[in-house]
Amino acid sequence: MIIDPQQVPTERNTNYPEEFKALVAGRIRQRLGNFAGLKNFGVNLVKLEPGSYSALRHWHSHQDELIYVLEGELTLITDAGAEILTPGIAAGFPAGEANGHHLVNRSSSVAIYLEIGDRTPNDQVTFPDIKNFLTAASPDGKSRKFIHHDGTPY
């Protein structure tokens, strides 16, 4: 299936709890993988406005992730610190590697990147900067809920 990104809806929504929504308010995604009907992995074309985060810093128990910068400058923040990513640079995050990561647009221009991840069921996402906060995916991998480490709802 050929995909014209101009035909793919944009979305700014997030399922983060209210107190974290402003951090990702400048993230505009187009779900190319969903548009194409892909079932095993997702591909998002993401525009990140200045000052915005791609996500809260996190790592996945079961899902792999890869990002590829197309335009602009992004700061990748991991447990090792901050690194500048420019067009043509990619970064991968293997499942189960407890290295929290996210992108921040610290520049004055919109940055664009591809975000690719698999849809392995039973994934758990850990947020190392937020005490007692994580997500658990449904067994089918299609939905997530935010919970405390003890399993109670956030």
Side-chain angles (χ1 to χ4, degrees):
M1 166 186 255
I2 294 174
I3 302 167
D4 176 355
Q6 293 189 28
Q7 301 302 312
V8 180
T10 61
E11 57 182 57
R12 286 183 179 259
N13 63 324
T14 178
N15 61 353
Y16 285 148
E18 197 62 41
E19 65 192 275
F20 304 116
K21 287 183 178 184
L23 297 171
V24 296
R27 178 186 68 193
I28 305 160
R29 286 190 292 205
Q30 292 176 280
R31 296 185 181 272
L32 304 178
N34 288 359
F35 192 82
L38 301 183
K39 300 196 181 358
N40 296 315
F41 64 95
V43 179
N44 298 326
L45 180 61
V46 184
K47 292 180 183 176
L48 200 61
E49 295 175 343
S52 190
Y53 290 18
S54 62
L56 299 174
R57 204 167 72 89
H58 68 285
W59 60 273
H60 292 265
S61 64
H62 290 73
Q63 294 181 1
D64 291 325
E65 289 182 281
L66 182 120
I67 60 101
Y68 181 82
V69 180
L70 298 168
E71 285 183 35
E73 179 181 285
L74 292 164
T75 302
L76 171 64
I77 300 173
T78 66
D79 291 350
E83 296 180 66
I84 302 297
L85 305 181
T86 54
I89 301 295
F93 312 101
E97 188 174 295
N99 182 7
H101 58 273
H102 72 158
L103 300 169
V104 179
N105 186 346
R106 293 179 173 168
S107 78
S108 59
S109 301
V110 171
I112 302 173
Y113 65 96
L114 284 174
E115 172 181 83
I116 303 157
D118 71 66
R119 297 180 178 179
T120 304
N122 300 309
D123 183 49
Q124 179 174 294
V125 182
T126 300
F127 300 86
D129 299 331
I130 303 168
K131 187 177 180 182
N132 292 325
F133 180 69
L134 54 88
T135 69
S138 60
D140 64 6
K142 292 183 180 178
S143 64
R144 293 190 176 277
K145 63 180 178 177
F146 291 91
I147 58 175
H148 293 278
H149 286 276
D150 66 5
T152 58
Y154 186 83

